[in-house]
Amino acid sequence: MENKSAEEAMRELTMILMYLSRFKNTDRFRMDDTDDWFAWKGYDFDVLNELNDEDYIRQGSRPSRSKSVYLTEAGIAFAKELMAKYHIDDWEKN
C-alpha cells in the first residue's frame, strides 16, 4: 500500500468511521422504511466540509447547528470502497 498524506488519511478514515457508526433516523411518527443513513459529526470540521463538497455527506443548510450528517449514495459507495481497500468487514454482510 502506498504512503498517504495525513490529510488524505484523515479524510478516508473519517468516511470509514462515519459509515461504520451510521444509523437510521427513524422515529415513531415515520412509517416508511427508508434506506437513509446518518452519522454523528464529531470529526474535524475541515474534513467534514471536504466530504460535503464532494457530495459524500450532507450537513444541511445550517451545518454549525446540526449534530449529524446524511450519508449520500456516493458516500456509502466511497466508504465501501475504502473498507475493501483497508480490508475492513462491514457490520452486516450484503
Side-chain angles (χ1 to χ4, degrees):
M1 193 179 313
E2 79 232 27
N3 287 341
K4 295 232 172 268
S5 68
E7 293 82 11
E8 183 65 18
M10 280 183 63
R11 180 178 160 276
E12 289 184 357
L13 296 173
T14 297
M15 194 68 225
I16 290 170
L17 287 171
M18 284 194 300
Y19 176 76
L20 286 174
S21 63
R22 69 197 184 274
F23 62 92
K24 287 190 178 201
N25 192 18
T26 58
D27 60 33
R28 62 188 170 125
F29 299 110
R30 288 181 63 181
M31 298 303 211
D32 58 349
D33 186 25
T34 65
D35 287 332
D36 293 341
W37 291 102
F38 295 83
W40 298 116
K41 64 184 252 187
Y43 302 98
D44 183 271
F45 293 136
D46 290 334
V47 173
L48 292 175
N49 290 338
E50 284 179 33
L51 294 171
N52 186 82
D53 292 345
E54 295 169 355
D55 200 38
Y56 291 139
I57 63 170
R58 295 196 185 131
Q59 300 185 70
S61 59
R62 299 183 75 186
S64 63
R65 294 196 177 239
S66 63
K67 295 181 181 181
S68 63
V69 297
Y70 173 77
L71 301 176
T72 65
E73 287 185 30
I76 290 170
F78 180 56
K80 287 180 178 181
E81 285 176 30
L82 293 171
M83 288 178 53
K85 173 181 172 181
Y86 289 103
H87 307 287
I88 300 170
D89 290 332
D90 199 347
W91 293 108
E92 44 187 60
K93 298 281 186 174
N94 294 334

